[in-house]
Amino acid sequence: MKKVISREKLCVNCHLCEVYCKTAHSESKDIIKAHKLENPAPVSRVTVIGGRMASVAVNCRHCDDPACVNACITGAMTKDKKTGIVSVNENKCIGCMTCLAVCPNGCIKTGNTAIKCDLCQGEDMPACVKNCPNRALVYVEVGGND
Amino acid sequence: MNYVIIGASAAGLATAEEIRRTDKNGAITILTREDYLPYSRPSISYFLKGKVNQADMFLRKNNYYSQNKIDIVTGADVKEIDVKKKTVKAGRKLYSYDKLCLATGSKPFVPPMKNVEGKANALTFLDLASTKAVKDMANKDTRAVVIGGGLIGMKAAEGLSKICKSVDVIELAPRILPSILDAKSEKGVRQHCANKGGLKFHLEDTVVEAKSKGKNITSVVLKSGKELKCDLLILAVGVRPETELAEKAGLEVNRGIITNPATMQTSNEDIYAAGDCTVSVDMLDGSKKIIALWPNAVKQGTVAGSQMAGGSEAIDGTYSVNAIDFYGLRICTCGLINAQGEQYSDKIVACGDQYKRLIFEGEKLVGYVLINSSDNAGIYTYLIANRIDLSTLEGDIMATPDLFLFSKEIRTEKLTGGVTV
């Protein structure tokens, strides 16, 4: 499958990936409305960690054997057999956050349900990658699907 | 090969799925005494309060089982295992097995109380059937009394508080939720539940007797002498491993079913066990305990299934990890939260409704209690599960954990999986 690969040496700590992720996962798809008006506020699924000296964007690794899927107590978290994408069914999720408690990389966000990267399902390229100004984020085929 | 699995929740389903991954052709039969395909037991309190529909509680799509050639027999209450003939009996039907897995889970433990047994409005709260019975009985005029302030009792109380006129929770211990909260954090959670949900707590108390009219309880009398009006009594004192079948079959049982801790094989070489019915060995202190938690059940089921089908998956270390919420308060706990002994130390950061307590053994993290401060908790879980030496990490362990705790090399490996771009 294709995954987002994050290159620390190229990250400039601008957090634009977060801005565009939040917008891509908003109702309005508008940067200003997404950041100022929408309620509930949309959540960025990618997070830039570190600081000015060193930083890197972290998002879901869509693991081959995902701890979050194995631990999900409702069957809401699944890994798609064909695409390899790990995603949350919001109707089934009760927001217990067991997935968050077992994700070894810190890739699950809290909302009414668990929130996580879905690789912008349906898009050719995830919004974070498309809008990274220094190509610190790239979208590449890594194999290992399912 | 004939594989038979008794029980269709977390452990039973994980067993079947792992068998199918390893053995594409063997016949897999899951026997469940319930009337439903595998569903999420933890969702029952959300079903009670109307947050999830029944249709959204099922763990897999309906056609999943036929697609994967997993035969699920509902309403199949297994009464007997014949270990010589290698058959199990449910109703009049016999199922023969080459490999059998017991994933029988827990049964409610109901202490003796005068005039409670058999009463129409005294119900347990453990599965979908019992939840439907509770839901049918609860309405806006109901004065509900929940016996038991553990996970099940508190989830029942939370669900009922959205429906009922009043909810009283009676707990024998001096605190609620002892399996996931330490004494230091319990009080704040209890106050939150009292404020947000209107729950009334009666700690260090117990029901000694019920007063009734006909088939229905009308009030309960507590040890302290208090008497509470009661239209609905929920029996949620606790659960015990369901080991009756295993005992009758002559398997080694001590509170739970005893298995090889690595392979989940019982004292009978063709019978495996997984989930809440087993005794686990906690990797963090070596103690034997019942870890009745979902992730543990899935892990054990996966290993049992692999071993049954000739695979080599093994348990690589068992520990408790649990996440739950009460009225918006998020509680996340892992490891040895009630550790006693000179080798342990802890650090606490508390502010408003946020609480973070980490428990250490020397240079290792062995547990945490996080209340409304569980961001990236899985990184702590990783440190616990992998016995990481904290002196090799960078930064403040009490801050929100992230991958910058690790060296650049390890962080890059985690983020790229070794892919170089």
Side-chain angles (χ1 to χ4, degrees):
Chain A
M1 70 177 292
K2 278 177 109 172
K3 289 186 184 175
V4 176
I5 300 291
S6 191
R7 299 187 286 184
E8 186 171 324
K9 63 176 188 283
L10 294 177
C11 180
V12 297
N13 198 30
C14 68
H15 294 249
L16 279 175
C17 49
E18 295 177 7
V19 171
Y20 283 94
C21 177
K22 192 190 256 193
T23 306
H25 293 93
S26 68
E27 288 287 324
S28 62
K29 314 290 177 200
D30 177 280
I31 289 188
I32 293 157
K33 287 179 187 155
H35 283 75
K36 289 295 280 185
L37 296 177
E38 282 188 30
N39 190 14
V43 176
S44 172
R45 292 103 204 273
V46 61
T47 308
V48 177
I49 59 168
R52 198 169 172 197
M53 296 302 286
S55 63
V56 69
V58 178
N59 65 5
C60 173
R61 305 322 304 141
H62 298 275
C63 304
D64 290 338
D65 184 22
C68 58
V69 173
N70 293 336
C72 178
I73 67 175
T74 67
M77 189 73 82
T78 54
K79 183 175 174 71
D80 190 284
K81 272 202 161 164
K82 289 197 188 93
T83 65
I85 295 174
V86 176
S87 61
V88 188
N89 176 332
E90 292 182 359
N91 292 325
K92 298 182 83 160
C93 179
I94 57 176
C96 72
M97 296 294 149
T98 304
C99 49
L100 180 151
V102 299
C103 173
N105 298 319
C107 296
I108 312 268
K109 308 284 171 195
T110 307
N112 286 331
T113 64
I115 297 174
K116 67 178 291 303
C117 166
D118 56 359
L119 289 175
C120 290
Q121 280 192 41
E123 297 290 323
D124 292 339
M125 189 173 281
C128 56
V129 177
K130 214 185 288 178
N131 293 286
C132 178
N134 204 32
R135 289 197 22 91
L137 292 173
V138 287
Y139 193 43
V140 292
E141 179 60 50
V142 293
N145 190 8
D146 195 40
Chain B
M1 281 288 268
N2 268 329
Y3 303 97
V4 174
I5 298 159
I6 304 174
S9 192
L13 181 58
T15 304
E17 293 186 326
E18 191 61 29
I19 291 172
R20 184 51 80 229
R21 253 191 288 273
T22 313
D23 178 346
K24 300 288 178 215
N25 300 312
I28 303 174
T29 306
I30 303 182
L31 304 173
T32 169
R33 69 174 159 214
E34 292 188 68
D35 293 327
Y36 307 100
L37 290 174
Y39 65 92
S40 165
R41 285 264 183 104
S43 290
I44 59 173
S45 71
Y46 297 83
F47 173 71
L48 175 64
K49 68 182 179 188
K51 196 181 166 186
V52 291
N53 301 319
Q54 183 176 323
D56 288 322
M57 292 173 70
F58 294 100
L59 294 170
R60 302 288 181 270
K61 290 184 179 137
N62 286 351
N63 62 4
Y64 173 87
Y65 303 100
S66 57
Q67 279 171 358
N68 289 281
K69 292 183 289 170
I70 295 171
D71 192 14
I72 300 201
V73 187
T74 55
D77 194 2
V78 177
K79 290 289 184 205
E80 201 183 332
I81 302 167
D82 186 330
V83 294
K84 290 212 179 78
K85 291 185 186 147
K86 294 174 75 171
T87 57
V88 303
K89 194 174 178 187
R92 287 188 191 154
K93 256 193 122 173
L94 276 181
Y95 299 86
S96 53
Y97 66 84
D98 296 303
K99 298 285 177 191
L100 174 68
C101 183
L102 302 179
T104 46
S106 307
K107 60 180 174 198
F109 165 69
V110 182
M113 289 169 285
K114 244 163 89 183
N115 197 30
V116 167
E117 205 183 322
K119 287 286 179 272
N121 59 348
L123 301 171
T124 57
F125 185 73
L126 197 66
D127 54 19
L128 188 50
S130 60
T131 307
K132 285 183 171 180
V134 171
K135 201 169 178 161
D136 284 346
M137 209 168 272
N139 59 56
K140 63 178 174 38
D141 298 320
T142 306
R143 292 159 298 184
V145 175
V146 178
I147 310 181
L151 285 170
I152 296 172
M154 284 299 297
K155 270 292 165 196
E158 184 191 41
L160 286 170
S161 71
K162 312 259 168 172
I163 305 168
C164 298
K165 189 175 172 187
S166 66
V167 181
D168 286 81
V169 178
I170 298 157
E171 168 59 50
L172 189 59
R175 58 186 170 117
I176 59 165
L177 298 169
S179 66
I180 60 161
L181 291 177
D182 49 12
K184 290 169 185 166
S185 58
E186 179 269 346
K187 202 172 168 197
V189 174
R190 181 154 42 92
Q191 273 167 357
H192 177 84
C193 294
N195 294 343
K196 295 278 161 143
L199 303 185
K200 285 196 269 305
F201 292 98
H202 308 268
L203 301 184
E204 295 182 87
D205 212 342
T206 181
V207 170
V208 287
E209 185 187 351
K211 293 188 178 168
S212 61
K213 195 173 174 185
K215 281 188 162 179
N216 281 307
I217 291 169
T218 53
S219 68
V220 290
V221 180
L222 308 188
K223 197 173 135 206
S224 59
K226 279 186 262 189
E227 185 172 341
L228 304 172
K229 295 274 182 213
C230 175
D231 308 305
L232 174 59
L233 184 65
I234 304 293
L235 306 167
V237 169
V239 293
R240 299 282 182 272
E242 177 59 90
T243 58
E244 201 182 326
L245 281 174
E247 282 172 62
K248 278 206 295 196
L251 304 184
E252 194 185 339
V253 172
N254 184 359
R255 288 206 300 144
I257 302 170
I258 304 293
T259 67
N260 177 318
T263 63
M264 305 314 295
Q265 190 178 45
T266 67
S267 54
N268 180 311
E269 64 173 355
D270 295 316
I271 304 179
Y272 292 72
D276 298 5
C277 60
T278 68
V279 175
S280 295
V281 181
D282 193 319
M283 62 173 267
L284 298 170
D285 63 0
S287 65
K288 289 181 181 155
K289 55 175 95 157
I290 312 293
I291 299 184
L293 296 170
W294 192 278
N296 190 43
V298 171
K299 207 184 285 178
Q300 292 187 342
T302 303
V303 167
S306 169
Q307 294 283 340
M308 289 163 75
S312 58
E313 291 276 336
I315 299 286
D316 53 3
T318 297
Y319 54 92
S320 311
V321 58
N322 185 259
I324 197 163
D325 79 290
F326 289 101
Y327 304 102
L329 200 70
R330 297 193 179 281
I331 305 172
C332 194
T333 56
C334 181
L336 307 176
I337 61 164
N338 291 310
Q340 303 282 336
E342 279 180 2
Q343 68 271 43
Y344 301 111
S345 60
D346 66 359
K347 281 185 192 166
I348 297 174
V349 177
C351 177
D353 64 355
Q354 295 187 330
Y355 175 90
K356 174 183 282 194
R357 174 166 172 252
L358 303 186
I359 300 108
F360 306 92
E361 181 180 7
E363 289 293 334
K364 303 229 166 74
L365 186 64
V366 293
Y368 62 69
V369 179
L370 308 172
I371 299 174
N372 277 359
S373 57
S374 53
D375 286 356
N376 294 355
I379 292 179
Y380 285 141
T381 308
Y382 174 86
L383 299 179
I384 293 170
N386 292 283
R387 309 292 262 155
I388 303 289
D389 184 338
L390 300 181
S391 67
T392 64
L393 302 182
E394 292 163 28
D396 177 11
I397 192 78
M398 295 305 288
T400 299
D402 66 35
L403 294 180
F404 269 90
L405 283 172
F406 303 98
S407 69
K408 186 175 179 185
E409 199 182 7
I410 293 174
R411 177 166 67 247
T412 304
E413 165 64 28
K414 283 174 175 293
L415 284 174
T416 63
V419 175
T420 47
V421 192

